[in-house]
Amino acid sequence: MKIHKIHLGVIEQVHGDGKGDPLTTSKLAEILEQEYGIFSGFVAANAEWINGQIAEAMAGAATSALVSDEDVVLPLERVAADLAHRLQQAIATGQIERLDLGPGTVPTRAALMGINHRFKSGLNNISPGQKAAFLKAQKKLPKGERARPVGDRRPSFVDTGVLLGSVRGWAE
């Protein structure tokens, strides 16, 4: 009997502007797993759901084997794809922040500060002009009293959206 595995990962692509030594989605995923346990924590939190999906797939395959003369393959690709979609939804909605993921603090500081590199200013709902005016006003203050510009809060692990869009699940 062949052992099947379900994998959760990302499609390799450049994350960022690609200048210098570019950060790839796979390297970013490794960093997020090491610092926050984003993948392993998500799988652990969803183990019951995963087991139920696998059991349902096995039951369907067993039923097919009883009525068919052809070899039946476990439909784990669907389970893997559903798991990846579930992770994408948990990240996009901020639900991932409520899971006990690992050693890192969630929500992340970048999420709380509204850092978002999809915008020219690098901040959620802050125009480049607003950011420039804020920084100009801050220069008039003593160094100990200066603040950093802050945008609207965003979900953790969502910055450019490249990582989120590259999450995939597969079976082998």
Side-chain angles (χ1 to χ4, degrees):
M1 182 172 146
K2 183 178 177 185
I3 303 291
H4 295 275
K5 293 181 182 178
I6 293 177
H7 300 273
L8 189 58
V10 296
I11 294 173
E12 177 100 17
Q13 54 187 324
V14 174
H15 183 275
D17 60 12
K19 296 178 183 172
D21 186 19
L23 178 66
T24 63
T25 51
S26 61
K27 183 64 181 165
L28 180 58
E30 287 176 23
I31 292 167
L32 293 177
E33 178 60 24
Q34 284 178 347
E35 293 192 20
Y36 300 99
I38 187 171
F39 293 96
S40 57
F42 177 78
V43 168
N46 286 276
E48 190 174 314
W49 178 85
I50 295 167
N51 290 335
Q53 294 297 304
I54 292 171
E56 191 176 302
M58 290 177 71
T63 302
S64 295
L66 291 172
V67 297
S68 174
D69 291 338
E70 297 178 19
D71 287 340
V72 176
V73 179
L74 277 177
L76 293 181
E77 284 294 333
R78 181 190 55 79
V79 175
D82 288 350
L83 180 62
H85 179 72
R86 197 172 171 104
L87 174 59
Q88 289 171 324
Q89 291 298 312
I91 292 171
T93 61
Q95 187 179 30
I96 193 104
E97 295 177 355
R98 294 188 284 282
L99 301 178
D100 184 20
L101 295 175
T105 304
V106 179
T108 63
R109 193 170 107 197
L112 292 172
M113 292 181 66
I115 295 173
N116 192 329
H117 291 96
R118 288 178 284 183
F119 297 106
K120 190 172 182 179
S121 71
L123 298 168
N124 266 344
N125 295 322
I126 302 292
S127 71
Q130 290 171 314
K131 182 179 177 182
F134 177 83
L135 292 174
K136 184 177 179 182
Q138 290 297 306
K139 286 183 180 180
K140 297 176 184 175
L141 299 173
K143 282 194 177 197
E145 295 179 23
R146 293 181 187 173
R148 293 186 68 182
V150 176
D152 292 346
R153 178 157 168 2
R154 64 163 173 81
S156 294
F157 315 118
V158 178
D159 183 2
T160 63
V162 173
L163 178 76
L164 185 63
S166 72
V167 171
R168 294 292 183 270
W170 67 97
E172 63 178 8

